[in-house]
Amino acid sequence: MKRLFGLIGFTFLFVLSAVFYSDFNEIVFAIIGSLGVLSVAVGIFLIISKKNKSFGKSLCVFAFAVIYSAGNIIGYSEYINNTVINNYSDKEITASGYICDEIITTDSSCSFVIKTDKINGQPSDAKIQIISYTNVDAEPFEKVNFTAHTYKNNVNSQISHGIFLKAYSYDGFKIDATGEKVTTFYSLAVSIRRAMKNSLDMLLPEDYSTLCRAVLLGEKTALDSSVKDDFSLTGTSFLIVVSGMHLVIIASFVLFFIRKITRNRFIITGFTTFTVIAFMAVTGFAHSVVRAGVMMIIVSLASSNLRIADSLNNLGFAAIVLTVFNPYAVADIGMLLSFGATAGIILWSKPIERSVLRFFHYKNKRKDGIAGTVVYYIKRLFKICVNMLSVSVSAFLWILPITAVAFNRISPTVILVSLLCEPFVSTLLVCSLLSSVLFICPFISFLAYPFALVSGLCSKAILWLVSTFSQLPFSTVKTHSLYWFVWIGVSIFLAIGGWFAINNRKFYVKISVLLSASVLIIGASLNVLLTADNGEMKIYSVGNGVFATVNCPDSCSVISCGGNRASADDVTADISESYSNIEYMIIPNQNNRYSSFERFAVTKFDLNNILVYDSDIEKQNLLNAFDGNSRQTFGGNRRFTLNLSDTVTDEVICEDNTMFQYIKGKSATALFVPSHGDVSKLPEKYRNPDYLLIDSVPENSELISCKAVIFSGTEKQLQKRYDSIKEISPTVISTADGSITVNLNGG
């Protein structure tokens, strides 16, 4: 079997992704089980009948991979993930361990991961992310004792590295550093990473050094939010996430010099392996880098033994390495994008390149004379450009379904932007590496300055290109609508059919492109007609507090952003699936029950208008200088109306230090009353909403008449106030059971 590892590896990825992203759905398990049994049956039949023994063996291997991977993720979930969560989630624990990675610091917080050895006096091997809003008196790889209230971690990229719990610096958090440090190979790599970051910070202005750190080391936290938004809008975030592309550039640069020194293939293999492992360690063993590293080491070992490694087999082997002991690695969407892009390049880039060259009747034979030489090099340059284009197009096409499903948007300009940026990124990578390393070395640190200068110029060019393209009207297209997935499904079906269109393939391609474009255009047109009047209010399950949004086809507004911060990742992730900016963020008061999520929203979204109600002038002044965002802070008694969309309005009524909000759509109304609100202060015309949103029973609540009460709070809070709430309306809906959506415009 020629591509045994490729078959097993890709089956692992397919099954593990299906199980994980369906949230272990029973129907998915039934389909996977049926697929495995059917494959075994057909495979055994083909082997016994001797009709196609090779294909029969492949089916049996496929069935084994299906069953093994499904059982692997079930076992890992039950005995590792669930054990940690069931024993320690949503509980106060006392533990000891060591900080197992670098402490990441931002303007408002710092975060780090502790690998425990004991929890509540019992041996326990778990990883807990700590988020602190004050400085922590501890260092990386230092042993610590701590007390914290832990929560289940819902950030997939962290889950993929085995970090199943998180804790915050409030809720009785305490940490004591012992002064004892753990020394490992990875701790040395982290020390080198920190030294390289310090070098770049000293050599370059902040805007350029943070970009260099992101591109070279994968540290995006220091990047300005507007810069991250620009990369996100243009679909080029992969340029600031350390990936296989970065490893290939670094390794190729190192090998270029090694081959100048020696031709011994074993020495070259040794240097290649060392470079790959060192880069993987310095960048934190990101899954996409490990994928590329495994493939590169295999190719190098094969070369040293005068053999040619099969690319798809290598890719499959890398998938096995990453998932066989950690099936939750598929939780990292970046890893799936890396595998998808690499598979696309392996399978499609060469055919696309040949088709383009054939279309232009490309032939390049060197002729005598200056004119012949010039034409020869121009044609060579043209071929290089076609090669780069074919690589970008094939990678983009293969990751398009993943991007559309995972992020609910695609960037049509990504191919052009990446082609323009990649030469600068390659140069920046090499020059940043040289400048950061040379600056550390005594006596020759002055050699770092020329490379730092080039890094700065490349950074300036990249930032300008990305910023310019992000401002184009269609730099990002949202794909959360059903028609996108229909179009992707039809396109995939047509692409598969192309393999069987042996006769008159050119005609098939033309018809397929026309049909695919027709499905997309018709779907987009119908979507515009059907969703033009959509408007809904969504109240999230955030524990103690209220987080509610008003979602329209082209805008999202937040009418309260409070709740337990443990829910911040889930809420922001849900909003970001459909929206990259927030039109209005309205904060009824600065109590955590209505404002605690603001700091997360500021870093995750573009906020066009922030309205904060607070009668305390000193708090208003402090808030205006908080982070440079444009805010309107106000107090006193006043009324005004916000047009959240063409069909939905928010009437704000401020009376006696209470902000009431009356949300009005075409077919439904909702009244939001924060705690301690007195309904008698509210004008009578607002006292008959369809829905009443509260997190406590307001004073004089008997003056309100409504169809249903939406209670945002914990189950205990609901039980405590249930009798009083029932007096307002017999229909009570609670966010304790999950998020609630109210359709404001009907339809």
Side-chain angles (χ1 to χ4, degrees), residues 111-138:
S111 64
F112 51 92
V113 177
I114 296 178
K115 184 177 176 62
T116 65
D117 48 43
K118 285 186 178 181
I119 298 180
N120 296 332
Q122 299 296 320
S124 180
D125 184 10
K127 289 182 178 180
I128 305 174
Q129 185 200 26
I130 308 294
I131 301 171
S132 175
Y133 300 103
T134 58
N135 291 328
V136 175
D137 188 18

Side-chain angles (χ1 to χ4, degrees), residues 33-200:
S34 302
L35 187 62
V37 171
L38 181 63
S39 298
V40 168
V42 175
I44 292 174
F45 172 77
L46 291 175
I47 293 172
I48 294 174
S49 64
K50 298 181 180 180
K51 291 184 177 180
N52 193 335
K53 292 179 68 176
S54 178
F55 184 64
K57 290 178 181 179
S58 296
L59 281 177
C60 289
V61 171
F62 172 74
F64 161 77
V66 167
I67 296 169
Y68 174 84
S69 55
N72 190 18
I73 195 168
I74 292 172
Y76 188 89
S77 176
E78 186 65 29
Y79 296 107
I80 297 180
N81 176 264
N82 289 348
T83 298
V84 172
I85 291 172
N86 293 337
N87 289 340
Y88 308 118
S89 177
D90 204 18
K91 297 176 183 177
E92 185 170 294
I93 64 168
T94 299
S96 61
Y98 70 96
I99 299 174
C100 61
D101 209 325
E102 190 175 1
I103 298 175
I104 305 300
T105 304
T106 64
D107 292 336
S108 58
S109 66
C110 68
S111 64
F112 51 92
V113 177
I114 296 178
K115 184 177 176 62
T116 65
D117 48 43
K118 285 186 178 181
I119 298 180
N120 296 332
Q122 299 296 320
S124 180
D125 184 10
K127 289 182 178 180
I128 305 174
Q129 185 200 26
I130 308 294
I131 301 171
S132 175
Y133 300 103
T134 58
N135 291 328
V136 175
D137 188 18
E139 295 184 3
F141 300 95
E142 185 174 8
K143 289 193 173 182
V144 296
N145 300 311
F146 67 99
T147 300
H149 189 98
T150 59
Y151 301 91
K152 180 182 177 181
N153 193 352
N154 294 314
V155 180
N156 284 345
S157 60
Q158 295 175 5
I159 292 173
S160 70
H161 288 282
I163 307 170
F164 304 136
L165 298 172
K166 62 182 175 183
Y168 297 87
S169 58
Y170 51 87
D171 293 336
F173 176 77
K174 296 179 182 178
I175 185 168
D176 296 313
T178 64
E180 182 182 353
K181 285 197 172 184
V182 176
T183 302
T184 63
F185 170 73
Y186 185 58
S187 69
L188 296 175
V190 170
S191 298
I192 294 171
R193 184 201 306 163
R194 294 172 68 189
M196 293 171 68
K197 285 163 54 177
N198 291 335
S199 297
L200 292 170

Side-chain angles (χ1 to χ4, degrees), residues 215-241:
V215 173
L216 178 63
L217 304 171
E219 189 199 279
K220 298 192 298 179
T221 54
L223 279 173
D224 186 83
S225 59
S226 62
V227 174
K228 287 189 280 190
D229 288 341
D230 289 342
F231 279 98
S232 178
L233 288 171
T234 55
T236 52
S237 295
F238 63 89
L239 295 177
I240 53 175
V241 176

Side-chain angles (χ1 to χ4, degrees), residues 409-468:
R409 62 176 180 240
I410 61 170
S411 303
T413 61
V414 62
I415 295 175
L416 178 58
V417 179
S418 60
L419 282 175
L420 295 173
C421 286
E422 279 176 5
F424 295 108
V425 171
S426 301
T427 306
L428 182 146
L429 259 175
V430 173
C431 291
S432 296
L433 175 66
L434 290 173
S435 60
S436 60
V437 172
L438 288 172
F439 194 74
I440 303 171
C441 303
F443 308 114
I444 59 171
S445 59
F446 65 91
L447 295 175
Y449 289 97
F451 296 108
L453 175 63
V454 177
S455 298
L457 293 173
C458 290
S459 299
K460 186 176 182 179
I462 294 168
L463 292 172
W464 180 83
L465 283 169
V466 173
S467 175
T468 301

